[in-house]
Each structure stands twice: as C-alpha cells, then as structure tokens.
Amino acid sequence: MQAGIISYGTYIPKHRIDVQEIFRVWRNVTPEIFDKMSLRERAVLLPDEDTLTLGVAAARQALERSGLERSQIGAVIFGSGTNPYATKAAATIVQDALGLPNEIISYDLQFAGKSGSSAIIAAAALVESGFVDYALAIGSDTINRHTAPGTQMEYRASAGAFAAIIGKKNIIAQLEGFSSYASDLSDYFRLEGERYIQLGGGWIGFVSNWGFLEHVKPAAEILFKKLKLDPKKDFNAVAVHQANGILPMMAAGTLGLDMFGVMQNVLTAYIGDCGAASALVPLAHILDNAGPDERVLVIAYGSGAGSDCLSFKTTAVIDQKRPVKGRVMDQIEDKIMVDYALASKYEYKYIRSPYMLTNYL
C-alpha cells in the first residue's frame, strides 16, 4: 500500500481521578487487583467535554501538524462507540467545527473499541483507491460517562481521542497492511435508550476478558501470514487495545510478541481505557519517539466483537515532522486530580433535572 499517516493528534482530558479514590467510596474489589491490572488513574470529563469535543481537539492537532489546508481534506470518518447523539451524524459536527469543506465524504463508524482502527482502514481505502487525496480518521470515546457508578468497570473506564491524516505524500508511517476478524459476541453492549454499558459475561467475563483473545489471535495471525512477518522479530513496537494492563500481556504471550516491545507502550496506569482510542493513543506515543524504518503493530479490539490489526512502517520523514509539543506524555503529565464527588458531578453520574438553569459547574 502507498497510503499512510501524514500526521496525527491526540487529546487526553486534563482532569483525572485515582482508582484508590473510587475504591474509598465503593470498596467493591480486592485492592490488589489495581497493580495486577496496571490501573492507577483514569480521565474525568468536564461537563462541556464529550466524544465530539475530544475528537475535534485531536483532529485540530493533527491538521496543524500536517501543514495541509482544510480544503485539501476529502473525507472525515468519525469512529466512536459513544456518539453523543443516538440519531444524528457526529462527523458533520466535526466537519463544521474544523472548517472542512461541505462537499467531502463524511460519515460515522461504530465498532466499540475498534471504531478508531476501522476508521483508519476506511480512510486508507479511500486514499489508496484515489477517491480522495487526504482523509481524516478519528477514534474517540467517553466510556467513563457510560459506565454505571459502583461497577468494577468504573476503575478503568476513561476517555480519549486520536486523529490521523491519511495520504500518500510525505507520510511518516506507511500502512503496510491490515486484517480483521469478527463474530457476534455480546461481551459488552449498550441497548437503544440505555446510558450505561452492560457486561454480558458478568464479573467472570470482566476478569477473564471474554472475547478478547478469541478475536485478537486470529486477526493477528492473518496479518502475519499475509505480510510474511515474524511476530517476535519484525516489530519494533506494539500498541495493543488496553482495557487494562493485562490484555496487552495476554496478547503478547499468545502471539509470541516481544514482551518488552509491548510492555513499554502500556499506558493504562496513566489514562485507563480510552475505548476507540485505546490502541491508538499508544500508537501516537510510539510515533512520538520512533525513528525511521521501524515497524509498528497495532492490535485493536471492539466489543461486539472483533479485532483489527495494522502494520505500519515509519519513514525518514518522521524525523522532520516529529512533534515538539502536545505529545502524548506531555498531555499525560498535564493533569488536575479530582475527588469522586467532583468526578461524579462532572460526568453527570446521577440524574438531574433537565430544567436546570445553571451550567452544572
């Protein structure tokens, strides 16, 4: 393939909560589980932050880093499992917020945690086919706002966004190939009209990560075979879907990946599970520090269930376009800690009157 990433951006909410603060309120797990699952902090949304505002912020950063004019973008694909609207396009709001042309290809894409990776694949297909010169792919989620208080998921349910400009010229990372594997599995789901995500396998499913390896393993093996790559030797870095810190290690052990290449890009201790951006924020972190001619594997997983695997190869251009500010670790370190009461207030965890005249701050 000729298509690849020209530039990228991320957005991680500044406000965070310590998992010990959540535990202080609910005491519904064994506290030793936090170290085992590599959970320490997660993001907290402000009242005026949602999936769209996060996605727009990440996309604006990607556009600024690309050096492209807005008029050059031919498509915008918005991937999320937590669209603020049940019936309304989110991509059009992103389009208008960024000042993109009205005549571009614009649509939403939903496959839970792999919505972002699927958006990248769709954007690359449009570019590779020649239908557009440049496409904007976004993966953004706010699963913290869609997780019920008092559930075990609350410790890791977070928010974040990733955006990438896909094109053929001046790419920093070429998309060598991709693979997908999907089947009908109700591991996590949210029905029409419901706010909170449900766990199909209950607590046992949460602990055993029901569905993850059943989809990640075949998807990755298809990619390795297609590109004739050795999982142990051919990848310099790996970004894996990170609902918790165990999943990447499970994937590494099952697929024969280099454990260190996986472990050094596990960010759950800092930001929790970012849903559609879960594997893509780590990808951005890798690109923040990667040199030329490095191969990066991305393994995304979406409840429902399915997995996307993508192989990127960095180019010499990456040194010229390396971000000097707003990098992933910069955003992680720029934080404000809040307590559980404030987090619950900010994320509208409890029902309030629709007729309130204040902005709920």
Side-chain angles (χ1 to χ4, degrees), residues 55-237:
V56 167
R60 185 170 286 120
Q61 187 183 63
L63 284 164
E64 290 172 355
R65 291 172 174 177
S66 72
L68 297 173
E69 298 295 330
R70 300 302 202 259
S71 60
Q72 293 178 271
I73 306 299
V76 56
I77 304 166
F78 185 80
S80 178
T82 54
N83 187 338
Y85 295 95
T87 304
K88 186 184 187 305
T92 53
I93 299 174
V94 173
Q95 180 183 326
D96 281 3
L98 296 172
L100 300 177
N102 293 105
E103 63 271 20
I104 67 174
I105 298 169
S106 175
Y107 60 85
D108 297 351
L109 187 155
Q110 198 283 111
F111 202 135
K114 82 177 191 74
S115 300
S117 59
S118 295
I120 291 174
I121 291 171
L126 287 169
V127 171
E128 191 75 12
S129 66
F131 279 108
V132 301
D133 291 327
Y134 302 100
L136 170 62
I138 300 171
S140 180
D141 256 333
T142 54
I143 59 177
N144 46 1
R145 189 164 277 158
H146 295 276
T147 297
T151 60
Q152 290 84 5
M153 285 173 57
E154 194 176 16
Y155 292 103
R156 53 90 167 170
S158 190
F162 171 92
I165 306 293
I166 308 297
K168 292 182 181 178
K169 298 179 181 178
N170 296 318
I171 60 175
I172 62 172
Q174 179 188 2
L175 178 58
E176 295 184 305
F178 60 87
S179 62
S180 294
Y181 186 90
S183 70
D184 182 23
L185 177 72
S186 298
D187 50 351
Y188 292 90
F189 61 91
R190 182 161 61 100
L191 297 176
E192 177 73 20
E194 290 189 354
R195 173 180 176 181
Y196 293 128
I197 298 166
Q198 298 183 46
L199 180 54
W203 172 242
I204 300 301
F206 178 77
V207 174
S208 65
N209 298 292
W210 179 40
F212 176 74
L213 289 180
E214 290 88 340
H215 294 80
V216 163
K217 185 176 185 292
E221 288 174 343
I222 291 168
L223 182 68
F224 300 153
K225 183 177 180 180
K226 182 190 295 187
L227 299 181
K228 298 179 173 59
L229 295 174
D230 185 313
K232 185 76 171 181
K233 301 176 181 177
D234 290 332
F235 294 99
N236 300 89

Side-chain angles (χ1 to χ4, degrees), residues 21-39:
E21 170 66 7
I22 302 173
F23 176 75
R24 181 185 65 80
V25 175
W26 292 108
R27 298 186 178 275
N28 53 356
V29 296
T30 303
E32 288 77 13
I33 201 172
F34 301 137
D35 285 336
K36 293 178 180 178
M37 288 191 167
S38 188
L39 298 175

